[in-house]
Amino acid sequence: MSHWAEIDNKNKVLRVLVGDNNDPNGDEGYQWLLDNLGGTWIQTSYNNNIRFNYAGIGYTYDINTDAFIPPKCHDEAILDKATCRWNCDNAQHKITTN
């Protein structure tokens, strides 16, 4: 399976859909997305870690680094350019998991 993120004109991810690796066009469903849904689609993957991070709704696609960047968690966070993830050195900020 391939995964595709639709981005808006500000490069914000609107949704992520699954494509078909057995697509007759050989493009993993990309042309189907264009023909049937329109929009701008960028491939993402949680297996291959292409574009640094698996895209999610609200992420931003940075064309210069070819990366999906998660929303900034708080003002003190600094973007780590090696991972395209937010880091914070403030010990009072706790990492939470759901």
Side-chain angles (χ1 to χ4, degrees), residues 30-64:
Y30 178 72
Q31 192 60 51
W32 186 93
L33 292 169
L34 293 177
D35 293 345
N36 294 279
L37 302 176
T40 302
W41 296 87
I42 308 291
Q43 192 169 20
T44 187
S45 174
Y46 58 83
N47 292 325
N48 298 351
N49 202 24
I50 62 171
R51 300 193 168 85
F52 292 86
N53 302 294
Y54 181 74
I57 295 172
Y59 279 48
T60 302
Y61 174 67
D62 184 321
I63 194 168
N64 295 320

Short mmCIF file of all heavy atoms in Angstrom, two decimals, residues 30-64:
data_model
loop_
_atom_site.label_atom_id
_atom_site.label_comp_id
_atom_site.label_asym_id
_atom_site.label_seq_id
_atom_site.Cartn_x
_atom_site.Cartn_y
_atom_site.Cartn_z
N TYR A 30 -1.88 7.25 -7.61
CA TYR A 30 -1.73 8.70 -7.72
C TYR A 30 -2.66 9.30 -8.77
O TYR A 30 -3.37 10.27 -8.50
CB TYR A 30 -0.27 9.06 -8.02
CG TYR A 30 -0.03 10.53 -8.19
CD1 TYR A 30 -0.08 11.38 -7.10
CD2 TYR A 30 0.23 11.08 -9.44
CE1 TYR A 30 0.14 12.73 -7.24
CE2 TYR A 30 0.45 12.43 -9.60
CZ TYR A 30 0.40 13.26 -8.50
OH TYR A 30 0.60 14.60 -8.64
N GLN A 31 -2.69 8.72 -9.95
CA GLN A 31 -3.53 9.26 -11.01
C GLN A 31 -5.01 9.15 -10.66
O GLN A 31 -5.80 10.04 -10.95
CB GLN A 31 -3.26 8.57 -12.35
CG GLN A 31 -3.88 9.29 -13.53
CD GLN A 31 -3.36 10.71 -13.70
OE1 GLN A 31 -2.14 10.94 -13.72
NE2 GLN A 31 -4.26 11.67 -13.81
N TRP A 32 -5.38 8.07 -9.96
CA TRP A 32 -6.77 7.93 -9.52
C TRP A 32 -7.15 9.07 -8.59
O TRP A 32 -8.25 9.64 -8.69
CB TRP A 32 -6.98 6.58 -8.82
CG TRP A 32 -8.41 6.33 -8.49
CD1 TRP A 32 -9.32 5.67 -9.24
CD2 TRP A 32 -9.10 6.80 -7.32
NE1 TRP A 32 -10.55 5.68 -8.61
CE2 TRP A 32 -10.44 6.36 -7.42
CE3 TRP A 32 -8.72 7.52 -6.20
CZ2 TRP A 32 -11.40 6.64 -6.46
CZ3 TRP A 32 -9.68 7.80 -5.23
CH2 TRP A 32 -11.00 7.36 -5.36
N LEU A 33 -6.26 9.41 -7.66
CA LEU A 33 -6.54 10.52 -6.74
C LEU A 33 -6.76 11.81 -7.52
O LEU A 33 -7.71 12.55 -7.25
CB LEU A 33 -5.39 10.69 -5.75
CG LEU A 33 -5.19 9.58 -4.73
CD1 LEU A 33 -3.86 9.75 -4.01
CD2 LEU A 33 -6.34 9.52 -3.75
N LEU A 34 -5.90 12.08 -8.48
CA LEU A 34 -6.04 13.30 -9.28
C LEU A 34 -7.33 13.30 -10.08
O LEU A 34 -8.06 14.29 -10.09
CB LEU A 34 -4.84 13.46 -10.22
CG LEU A 34 -3.49 13.71 -9.58
CD1 LEU A 34 -2.41 13.78 -10.65
CD2 LEU A 34 -3.50 14.97 -8.75
N ASP A 35 -7.61 12.18 -10.76
CA ASP A 35 -8.79 12.11 -11.62
C ASP A 35 -10.10 12.16 -10.85
O ASP A 35 -11.09 12.71 -11.33
CB ASP A 35 -8.76 10.82 -12.45
CG ASP A 35 -7.63 10.79 -13.47
OD1 ASP A 35 -7.04 11.85 -13.75
OD2 ASP A 35 -7.34 9.68 -13.98
N ASN A 36 -10.13 11.58 -9.67
CA ASN A 36 -11.38 11.45 -8.93
C ASN A 36 -11.56 12.44 -7.79
O ASN A 36 -12.69 12.75 -7.42
CB ASN A 36 -11.52 10.02 -8.39
CG ASN A 36 -11.68 9.03 -9.51
OD1 ASN A 36 -12.77 8.85 -10.04
ND2 ASN A 36 -10.59 8.40 -9.91
N LEU A 37 -10.47 12.92 -7.23
CA LEU A 37 -10.57 13.82 -6.08
C LEU A 37 -9.96 15.19 -6.33
O LEU A 37 -10.24 16.13 -5.60
CB LEU A 37 -9.90 13.18 -4.86
CG LEU A 37 -10.47 11.83 -4.42
CD1 LEU A 37 -9.66 11.26 -3.27
CD2 LEU A 37 -11.94 11.94 -4.06
N GLY A 38 -9.09 15.29 -7.35
CA GLY A 38 -8.41 16.55 -7.60
C GLY A 38 -7.42 16.86 -6.49
O GLY A 38 -7.05 15.98 -5.71
N GLY A 39 -6.99 18.08 -6.42
CA GLY A 39 -6.10 18.49 -5.34
C GLY A 39 -4.64 18.22 -5.62
O GLY A 39 -4.24 17.83 -6.71
N THR A 40 -3.83 18.44 -4.61
CA THR A 40 -2.39 18.23 -4.67
C THR A 40 -2.05 17.13 -3.68
O THR A 40 -2.38 17.24 -2.49
CB THR A 40 -1.63 19.52 -4.30
OG1 THR A 40 -2.02 20.55 -5.21
CG2 THR A 40 -0.12 19.31 -4.38
N TRP A 41 -1.37 16.09 -4.15
CA TRP A 41 -1.07 14.91 -3.33
C TRP A 41 0.42 14.67 -3.28
O TRP A 41 1.11 14.73 -4.30
CB TRP A 41 -1.78 13.69 -3.92
CG TRP A 41 -3.26 13.82 -3.87
CD1 TRP A 41 -4.06 14.41 -4.82
CD2 TRP A 41 -4.12 13.43 -2.81
NE1 TRP A 41 -5.36 14.39 -4.41
CE2 TRP A 41 -5.43 13.79 -3.18
CE3 TRP A 41 -3.91 12.79 -1.59
CZ2 TRP A 41 -6.53 13.53 -2.37
CZ3 TRP A 41 -5.01 12.54 -0.79
CH2 TRP A 41 -6.30 12.91 -1.17
N ILE A 42 0.93 14.39 -2.08
CA ILE A 42 2.34 14.09 -1.85
C ILE A 42 2.40 12.73 -1.17
O ILE A 42 1.69 12.49 -0.19
CB ILE A 42 3.01 15.14 -0.94
CG1 ILE A 42 2.77 16.56 -1.44
CG2 ILE A 42 4.49 14.85 -0.78
CD1 ILE A 42 3.45 16.93 -2.72
N GLN A 43 3.27 11.86 -1.65
CA GLN A 43 3.36 10.53 -1.05
C GLN A 43 4.02 10.61 0.33
O GLN A 43 4.94 11.39 0.57
CB GLN A 43 4.17 9.58 -1.94
CG GLN A 43 4.05 8.14 -1.51
CD GLN A 43 4.61 7.17 -2.53
OE1 GLN A 43 5.39 7.52 -3.39
NE2 GLN A 43 4.20 5.92 -2.41
N THR A 44 3.51 9.80 1.24
CA THR A 44 4.04 9.70 2.59
C THR A 44 4.12 8.22 2.95
O THR A 44 3.51 7.39 2.27
CB THR A 44 3.16 10.47 3.61
OG1 THR A 44 3.78 10.48 4.88
CG2 THR A 44 1.76 9.91 3.70
N SER A 45 4.88 7.87 3.94
CA SER A 45 5.01 6.47 4.32
C SER A 45 5.42 6.35 5.78
O SER A 45 6.31 7.07 6.23
CB SER A 45 6.04 5.77 3.45
OG SER A 45 6.26 4.45 3.89
N TYR A 46 4.78 5.44 6.49
CA TYR A 46 5.23 5.18 7.86
C TYR A 46 6.20 4.01 7.89
O TYR A 46 6.85 3.77 8.89
CB TYR A 46 4.06 4.97 8.82
CG TYR A 46 3.10 3.87 8.49
CD1 TYR A 46 3.36 2.56 8.84
CD2 TYR A 46 1.92 4.14 7.81
CE1 TYR A 46 2.48 1.55 8.53
CE2 TYR A 46 1.02 3.13 7.51
CZ TYR A 46 1.32 1.84 7.86
OH TYR A 46 0.43 0.84 7.56
N ASN A 47 6.33 3.27 6.80
CA ASN A 47 7.29 2.17 6.74
C ASN A 47 8.66 2.63 6.28
O ASN A 47 9.68 2.23 6.83
CB ASN A 47 6.80 1.07 5.78
CG ASN A 47 5.59 0.36 6.32
OD1 ASN A 47 5.47 0.17 7.51
ND2 ASN A 47 4.70 -0.02 5.44
N ASN A 48 8.70 3.47 5.25
CA ASN A 48 9.98 3.89 4.65
C ASN A 48 10.53 5.17 5.25
O ASN A 48 11.65 5.54 4.99
CB ASN A 48 9.81 4.10 3.14
CG ASN A 48 9.43 2.82 2.45
OD1 ASN A 48 9.43 1.75 3.05
ND2 ASN A 48 9.08 2.92 1.19
N ASN A 49 9.70 5.88 6.03
CA ASN A 49 10.10 7.14 6.63
C ASN A 49 10.56 8.15 5.57
O ASN A 49 11.48 8.92 5.79
CB ASN A 49 11.18 6.93 7.69
CG ASN A 49 11.24 8.09 8.66
OD1 ASN A 49 10.27 8.81 8.84
ND2 ASN A 49 12.37 8.27 9.29
N ILE A 50 9.91 8.11 4.39
CA ILE A 50 10.21 9.14 3.40
C ILE A 50 9.63 10.46 3.88
O ILE A 50 8.65 10.49 4.62
CB ILE A 50 9.68 8.78 1.99
CG1 ILE A 50 8.15 8.65 1.99
CG2 ILE A 50 10.34 7.53 1.46
CD1 ILE A 50 7.55 8.50 0.61
N ARG A 51 10.24 11.52 3.50
CA ARG A 51 9.82 12.86 3.89
C ARG A 51 9.82 13.03 5.41
O ARG A 51 8.97 13.69 5.98
CB ARG A 51 8.48 13.20 3.26
CG ARG A 51 8.58 13.15 1.74
CD ARG A 51 7.45 13.74 1.00
NE ARG A 51 7.85 13.85 -0.38
CZ ARG A 51 7.73 12.84 -1.28
NH1 ARG A 51 7.22 11.68 -0.93
NH2 ARG A 51 8.14 13.03 -2.51
N PHE A 52 10.78 12.37 6.06
CA PHE A 52 11.09 12.50 7.49
C PHE A 52 10.00 11.95 8.41
O PHE A 52 10.29 11.22 9.34
CB PHE A 52 11.41 13.94 7.88
CG PHE A 52 12.70 14.44 7.31
CD1 PHE A 52 12.75 14.98 6.04
CD2 PHE A 52 13.88 14.35 8.03
CE1 PHE A 52 13.94 15.44 5.50
CE2 PHE A 52 15.07 14.81 7.52
CZ PHE A 52 15.11 15.35 6.24
N ASN A 53 8.75 12.34 8.21
CA ASN A 53 7.66 11.95 9.11
C ASN A 53 6.45 11.51 8.29
O ASN A 53 6.21 12.03 7.20
CB ASN A 53 7.24 13.14 9.99
CG ASN A 53 8.38 13.67 10.81
OD1 ASN A 53 8.89 12.99 11.68
ND2 ASN A 53 8.81 14.89 10.53
N TYR A 54 5.70 10.57 8.84
CA TYR A 54 4.44 10.19 8.23
C TYR A 54 3.49 11.36 8.37
O TYR A 54 3.32 11.91 9.47
CB TYR A 54 3.88 8.94 8.92
CG TYR A 54 2.58 8.46 8.35
CD1 TYR A 54 2.55 7.81 7.12
CD2 TYR A 54 1.39 8.65 9.02
CE1 TYR A 54 1.35 7.36 6.59
CE2 TYR A 54 0.19 8.20 8.50
CZ TYR A 54 0.18 7.56 7.28
OH TYR A 54 -1.00 7.12 6.75
N ALA A 55 2.87 11.78 7.29
CA ALA A 55 1.99 12.95 7.31
C ALA A 55 0.75 12.69 8.14
O ALA A 55 0.23 11.57 8.20
CB ALA A 55 1.59 13.32 5.89
N GLY A 56 0.27 13.73 8.77
CA GLY A 56 -0.98 13.69 9.52
C GLY A 56 -1.74 14.97 9.27
O GLY A 56 -1.16 15.98 8.84
N ILE A 57 -3.03 14.95 9.53
CA ILE A 57 -3.84 16.15 9.37
C ILE A 57 -3.25 17.26 10.22
O ILE A 57 -2.92 17.06 11.39
CB ILE A 57 -5.30 15.87 9.75
CG1 ILE A 57 -5.91 14.87 8.77
CG2 ILE A 57 -6.12 17.16 9.78
CD1 ILE A 57 -7.28 14.37 9.16
N GLY A 58 -3.07 18.44 9.62
CA GLY A 58 -2.50 19.58 10.33
C GLY A 58 -1.00 19.71 10.16
O GLY A 58 -0.43 20.75 10.51
N TYR A 59 -0.33 18.68 9.65
CA TYR A 59 1.10 18.78 9.38
C TYR A 59 1.30 19.76 8.23
O TYR A 59 0.38 20.05 7.47
CB TYR A 59 1.68 17.43 8.98
CG TYR A 59 1.99 16.50 10.11
CD1 TYR A 59 1.07 16.26 11.12
CD2 TYR A 59 3.20 15.83 10.16
CE1 TYR A 59 1.35 15.38 12.15
CE2 TYR A 59 3.49 14.94 11.19
CZ TYR A 59 2.56 14.73 12.18
OH TYR A 59 2.85 13.86 13.19
N THR A 60 2.52 20.23 8.08
CA THR A 60 2.88 21.11 6.97
C THR A 60 3.90 20.40 6.10
O THR A 60 4.83 19.77 6.61
CB THR A 60 3.50 22.43 7.50
OG1 THR A 60 2.56 23.05 8.36
CG2 THR A 60 3.87 23.36 6.36
N TYR A 61 3.72 20.51 4.79
CA TYR A 61 4.71 19.97 3.86
C TYR A 61 5.68 21.10 3.52
O TYR A 61 5.29 22.14 3.01
CB TYR A 61 4.06 19.43 2.60
CG TYR A 61 5.07 18.99 1.57
CD1 TYR A 61 5.90 17.91 1.82
CD2 TYR A 61 5.24 19.69 0.39
CE1 TYR A 61 6.85 17.51 0.91
CE2 TYR A 61 6.18 19.30 -0.54
CZ TYR A 61 6.99 18.22 -0.27
OH TYR A 61 7.94 17.83 -1.18
N ASP A 62 6.95 20.90 3.84
CA ASP A 62 8.00 21.88 3.53
C ASP A 62 8.67 21.45 2.23
O ASP A 62 9.38 20.45 2.19
CB ASP A 62 9.02 21.94 4.66
CG ASP A 62 10.07 23.01 4.43
OD1 ASP A 62 10.52 23.20 3.29
OD2 ASP A 62 10.47 23.65 5.42
N ILE A 63 8.42 22.21 1.19
CA ILE A 63 8.94 21.87 -0.14
C ILE A 63 10.46 21.95 -0.20
O ILE A 63 11.10 21.20 -0.91
CB ILE A 63 8.28 22.74 -1.23
CG1 ILE A 63 8.56 22.17 -2.61
CG2 ILE A 63 8.73 24.18 -1.13
CD1 ILE A 63 7.73 22.78 -3.71
N ASN A 64 11.06 22.84 0.58
CA ASN A 64 12.52 23.01 0.54
C ASN A 64 13.27 21.81 1.12
O ASN A 64 14.34 21.46 0.64
CB ASN A 64 12.93 24.29 1.27
CG ASN A 64 12.40 25.52 0.57
OD1 ASN A 64 12.39 25.60 -0.65
ND2 ASN A 64 11.92 26.47 1.34
#
